[in-house]
Amino acid sequence: MAVMFRGNSLKDISWNEFQALRPAEKAPMLTSGGHPYHILFSQQFDREFLNRIITLATMTRRIAKTRGGLLYLQGLLAEKRAMLYFVQPSTRTFLSFFSACEMVGLKPGEVRGTSTSSELKGESPEDTVRTFSSYFDLIVMRHPEAGFAERIAWLLSTTERPIPVVNAGSGKDQHPTQALLDIYTLQRSFEEVGGIEGKTVVFVGDLARGRTVRSLSRLLALYPGVRLVFAAPPSLQIGDDILAELREAGVPVQLTDDFHATIPEADAIYMTRLQDEWDIAGESQKIDLRRFSFGVEHLPLLKPNAALLHPLPRRGEIAVEVDHDPRAVYWRQVRNGMWIRAALMLMIFHRDAEIDRYYEDLTS
Ligand code: NCD
C-alpha cells in the first residue's frame, strides 16, 4: 500500500514520507507539466522518455553544426542560470554540463569544493545549496552522499523559490545522466543492428561501488530481450538490491568472475575502474584486476558489431592501443554526454518543442 500524500508534488509531502516511497511512487513528483523537473535516479525514466531524449539530443547535435543553428540554440535558455555544485572530483561530467549549458545559452556558475565556501565557517550544506536558489534557476550537483540531491530537491520545493535539481553523481549510488549518455551511445552504436533490444551487455570491474553501472543496468531493463552479465571479483560484485530489481523486471542475469570468457558473447562491454577512494584501509589494492581488463589481445574475440564502453576515468583497465579500434566508443561517450545534457536542460525548461519546430524547418 502506497503512503498517502496530499498532492502529486514534493511540497505536499514531508521528507520522511517522501523517503519511504518506492522510486516508482516518487517519479511522478519529480515532473512538472509532463516534463522532467528534478533528475535524481534512473528509475524515474521510462522508455518514452528515453526515446524522446535520444531524438532531441540528435536534433540538437545536427542543429549545432551550422553557425546559425548554434546561435539559435544559444538563445533558447539565455535568461537562465545554472549552478554547478561539484563537491567531489570531476573532469568530464563537470565540463560536459558546463559545455551543455553554453550550448543552450544557460549561464553557468560553479562551486568545486567546500574549501572556499561558507561550509568552512560551519554552514550546513543544505543552507549553502539553498543560497544558490536565490541566484540560479537550476542546480547540478555532484556529492559524496547518496540521497543528498534528493534531500535538496525536497528542501527547495518547500521554499519560495523552488528550482530543479540534477544529480550529477551521488556517492556510490546513482549517476542518472551518465546512464542517459550511455543509453544514447548504445543506441547510436546499434542503430543499424536492431537497437538495444535483445543485446547482451557485460559489466566489468568494481560493480559494488560503481554508480554508473547501478544507474545504467536499470535503464537496460526497459529494453526487451536484454541480458546482463556482471563480471567482477566476488568482493566487488554487483549489489543484491540491483539483482532483485532486475529479477523482478524479468531480466536474465549472470554473475561471473571470469570476464575474458564472456567477451565472445558480448554485444556491449562496459568496463569500469577500481573505486578505491571508498576503501577504509586500502583493502581493494590487494585484488588482482588484470583478469578484469581489456587488451589488444582480446580484440579478435570481440563480435564485429560490438561496442566497448567506459564511463572514464580509466586506470589501465583498457589498454590505450585499443582506442584505435572502431568498436571502442568511450571517447564518443564523452561527446554524447554533452548533447544528452543539453537536451535534458531543454526538456526541464520546456523548450524542447522549439527544437522540433526548428529541426522540421531545417530538414523540410
Ligand atoms: C564516473 C563517476 O564519477 O561515477 N565518472 C564519470 O562521471 N564519467 C566513473 C568513475 O569515477 O569511475
Side-chain angles (χ1 to χ4, degrees):
M1 178 66 190
V3 177
M4 294 304 292
F5 47 87
R6 288 173 289 278
N8 205 19
S9 152
L10 274 187
K11 70 175 175 359
D12 299 320
I13 182 170
S14 74
W15 170 241
N16 286 340
E17 283 173 312
F18 179 67
Q19 255 191 318
L21 298 177
R22 289 158 49 89
E25 294 168 317
K26 290 177 180 174
M29 295 183 204
L30 309 180
T31 63
S32 164
H35 280 65
Y37 187 72
H38 298 298
I39 305 298
L40 301 178
F41 45 77
S42 64
Q43 299 99 310
Q44 74 184 90
F45 307 136
D46 57 17
R47 263 307 285 282
E48 198 187 331
F49 171 81
L50 294 181
N51 294 345
R52 174 67 177 150
I53 197 163
I54 285 170
T55 309
L56 207 54
T58 295
M59 290 191 290
T60 308
R61 181 164 55 83
R62 291 186 181 148
I63 292 170
K65 281 193 200 313
T66 65
R67 183 164 185 273
L70 193 57
L71 289 172
Y72 164 76
L73 290 173
Q74 286 170 344
L76 285 176
L77 294 175
E79 79 285 20
K80 305 281 185 202
R81 296 164 56 84
M83 167 48 86
L84 308 183
Y85 178 67
F86 276 58
V87 293
Q88 230 197 344
S90 177
T91 307
R92 258 153 301 274
T93 307
F94 177 82
L95 285 176
S96 180
F97 272 106
F98 193 89
S99 310
C101 282
E102 293 199 318
M103 192 64 74
V104 291
L106 256 169
K107 291 178 191 58
E110 59 178 277
V111 168
R112 302 215 54 186
T114 51
S115 63
T116 54
S117 87
S118 284
E119 285 182 50
L120 265 199
K121 300 180 188 167
E123 184 177 51
S124 72
E126 284 83 354
D127 279 6
T128 302
V129 177
R130 191 165 169 175
T131 307
F132 300 155
S133 72
S134 311
Y135 301 110
F136 294 93
D137 305 288
L138 168 75
I139 300 179
V140 179
M141 63 165 72
R142 168 165 291 198
H143 199 275
E145 196 185 311
F148 184 74
E150 261 186 59
R151 199 161 79 235
I152 295 301
W154 176 83
L155 179 76
L156 292 178
S157 303
T158 65
T159 68
E160 303 104 72
R161 197 166 184 278
I163 59 171
V165 174
V166 174
N167 175 4
S170 51
K172 291 176 260 185
D173 188 34
Q174 286 257 1
H175 197 346
T177 65
Q178 175 75 39
L180 293 176
L181 79 89
D182 293 336
I183 287 287
Y184 186 42
T185 305
L186 288 168
Q187 177 61 40
R188 292 186 71 189
S189 297
F190 298 143
E191 208 126 60
E192 311 289 312
V193 289
I196 298 173
E197 274 87 0
K199 299 292 190 288
T200 293
V201 181
V202 181
F203 287 104
V204 190
D206 191 340
L207 310 182
R209 302 174 291 187
R211 55 194 172 194
T212 64
V213 173
R214 294 175 56 81
S215 289
L216 177 58
S217 53
R218 286 155 161 150
L219 292 192
L220 288 169
L222 300 173
Y223 292 81
V226 162
R227 196 178 139 247
L228 300 181
V229 180
F230 296 98
S235 61
L236 299 179
Q237 223 356 316
I238 190 80
D240 289 337
D241 57 338
I242 299 281
L243 290 175
E245 281 179 45
L246 294 172
R247 288 196 178 114
E248 196 183 327
V251 179
V253 164
Q254 184 198 331
L255 304 189
T256 178
D257 67 352
D258 189 357
F259 161 52
H260 293 145
T262 70
I263 297 174
E265 61 182 284
D267 295 299
I269 299 181
Y270 193 97
M271 304 291 298
T272 67
R273 70 175 171 92
L274 180 68
Q275 308 266 328
D276 53 1
E277 68 268 38
W278 300 106
D279 279 8
I280 291 159
E283 60 277 10
S284 56
Q285 303 290 348
K286 295 180 201 106
I287 300 169
D288 179 8
L289 284 168
R290 278 171 302 182
R291 297 177 53 239
F292 300 90
S293 59
F294 193 102
V296 270
E297 67 278 22
H298 301 118
L299 284 170
L301 302 173
L302 200 57
K303 283 187 187 177
N305 289 319
L308 185 63
L309 290 86
H310 195 307
L312 301 175
R314 69 175 151 187
R315 293 179 22 172
E317 314 72 49
I318 304 182
V320 286
E321 295 77 23
V322 174
D323 295 6
H324 307 296
D325 192 280
R327 293 164 293 185
V329 297
Y330 28 93
W331 296 109
R332 249 179 275 162
Q333 266 171 283
V334 177
R335 189 96 185 134
N336 286 338
M338 181 177 70
W339 301 119
I340 220 75
R341 288 169 174 132
L344 185 64
M345 293 190 280
L346 292 170
M347 286 176 95
I348 290 173
F349 290 111
H350 297 211
R351 300 286 159 82
D352 52 310
E354 293 178 42
I355 294 284
D356 294 320
R357 282 192 289 273
Y358 189 95
Y359 190 74
E360 208 181 301
D361 288 348
L362 196 69
T363 51
S364 62

